[in-house]
């Protein structure tokens, strides 16, 4: 498994300059409220495809008052391979773009990065996931899908881009041949996206099996959406044709609505507490949290078995303190069994007792 063996920050969030002492083991980060624990996790996700753990703009990630280049660097180690050095810089004065270097070479492809490193995270902001609008669950679904496939983020981006291009062209009253082309792209990427989401949902059952833990309830995932329905009813080939026809038929309607009214960008993820046969939305707050933890663990387990599954790193922000003793032990044991590098945070060290046997401890420095 790949492991982060060094982390340095320069003008990121609350850190002017910081070098975190890491060894490659999992890490327990403790500190008072506002100490900078989540900031560290967020910094790691600067190395992921897409937006980071807070979904924030890059200019917000840069330390307030910074004038010089901001950024972070990590060393990624993998078994006996030569470690890889990854650097993200966010250049002034606008701090609005990310430059990524892999071993000193600038890379423009997000997929090069996601072949090396992918993150799966659970944060307090996700506590309301099942009550949110579908968009949040869709993002979550795409994140967990991307955890097992370096291609997923690129497919999602390709779909979004084709959809934007089509909409721009519709608004200008553009060339039908170009519209056909953008729609063909949407169909291609959109079907791939839906299939990958479906296989993520299906693969979860295997993940739960492999984990053999009882402490966290099993979730069942169902993806509700236009293209998912076409795929289920018609099979892939016919679904392609139907999706393309639908887009073509809908040009005028979409233009008037100024958004695309049909496609996998509108799907929703429906999660059910399997044992209780209860929609997650109607489960208690504690049950929802336990479902999410189980889901992340099952996904990590399934992803580990995939082709580029060695690149996964888990981030669990403020998860442990809310668990009872039994569940803490189960989480520690499961993480140990997964063998992935995990970064856990909490205000106090005490709840981490079951974890510390094979994890390092890190405390953000005090601000002066
Ligand atoms: N861009 C920024 N520049 C400087 N400080 C920031 C920036 N963004 C957030 N902070 C500070 O970081 C602190 C929060 O850090 P965080 O990692 O969320 O704490 P916690 O340890 O509770 O997880 C707050 O004090 C906040 O003001
Ligand atoms: Mg925090």
């Amino acid at each position: 498994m790949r492991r982060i063996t060094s982390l340095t920050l320069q003008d990121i969030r609350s850190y002017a300059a910081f070098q975190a002492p890491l060894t490659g083991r999992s890490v327990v980060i403790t500190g008072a409220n506002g100490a900078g624990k989540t900031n560290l996790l967020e910094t790691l996700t600067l190395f992921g495809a897409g937006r980071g753990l807070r979904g924030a703009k890059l200019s917000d990630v840069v330390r307030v008052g910074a004038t010089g280049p901001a950024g972070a660097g990590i060393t990624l180690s993998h078994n006996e391979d030569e470690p890889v050095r990854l650097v993200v810089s966010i250049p002034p004065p606008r701090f609005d773009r990310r430059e990524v270097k892999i071993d000193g070479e600038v890379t423009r492809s997000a997929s090069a990065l996601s072949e090396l490193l992918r993150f799966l995270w659970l944060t307090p902001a996700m506590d309301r996931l099942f009550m949110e609008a579908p968009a949040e669950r869709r993002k979550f679904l795409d994140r967990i899908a991307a955890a097992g496939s370096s291609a997923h983020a690129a497919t999602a981006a390709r779909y979004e881009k084709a959809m934007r291009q089509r909409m721009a062209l519709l608004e200008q009253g553009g060339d039908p041949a170009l519209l056909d082309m953008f729609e063909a792209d949407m169909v291609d990427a959109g079907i791939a996206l839906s299939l990958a989401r479906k296989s993520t949902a299906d693969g979860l059952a295997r993940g739960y099996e492999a984990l053999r833990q009882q402490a966290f309830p099993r979730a069942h995932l169902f993806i509700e959406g236009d293209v998912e329905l076409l795929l289920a009813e018609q099979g892939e080939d016919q679904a392609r044709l139907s999706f393309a026809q639908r887009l073509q038929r809908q040009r005028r309607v979409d233009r008037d609505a100024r958004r695309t009214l049909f496609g996998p960008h509108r799907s929703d993820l429906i999660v059910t507490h399997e044992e209780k046969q209860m929609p997650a939305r109607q489960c208690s707050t504690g049950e929802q949290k336990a479902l999410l933890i189980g889901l992340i663990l099952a996904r990590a387990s399934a992803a580990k078995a995939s082709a580029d599954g060695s690149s996964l790193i888990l981030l669990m922000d403020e998860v442990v303190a809310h668990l009872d003793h039994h569940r803490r032990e189960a989480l520690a044991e499961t993480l140990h069994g997964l063998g992935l590098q995990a970064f856990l945070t909490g205000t106090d060290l005490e709840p981490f007792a079951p974890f510390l046997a094979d994890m390092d401890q890190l405390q953000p420095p005090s601000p002066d």
Side-chain angles (χ1 to χ4, degrees), residues 14 18 22 70 97 107 138 166 168 176 198 226 230 262 316:
S14 49
F18 180 56
L22 302 181
R97 98 193 146 76
T107 174
R138 207 160 48 232
R166 170 180 178 270
K198 173 92 164 63
D226 307 323
L230 288 182
F262 190 94
M316 296 191 145

Side-chain angles (χ1 to χ4, degrees), residues 167-176 179 255:
M167 187 49 67
L169 200 59
L170 282 174
E171 286 181 346
Q172 299 157 11
D175 178 358
L179 279 174
R255 187 197 60 203

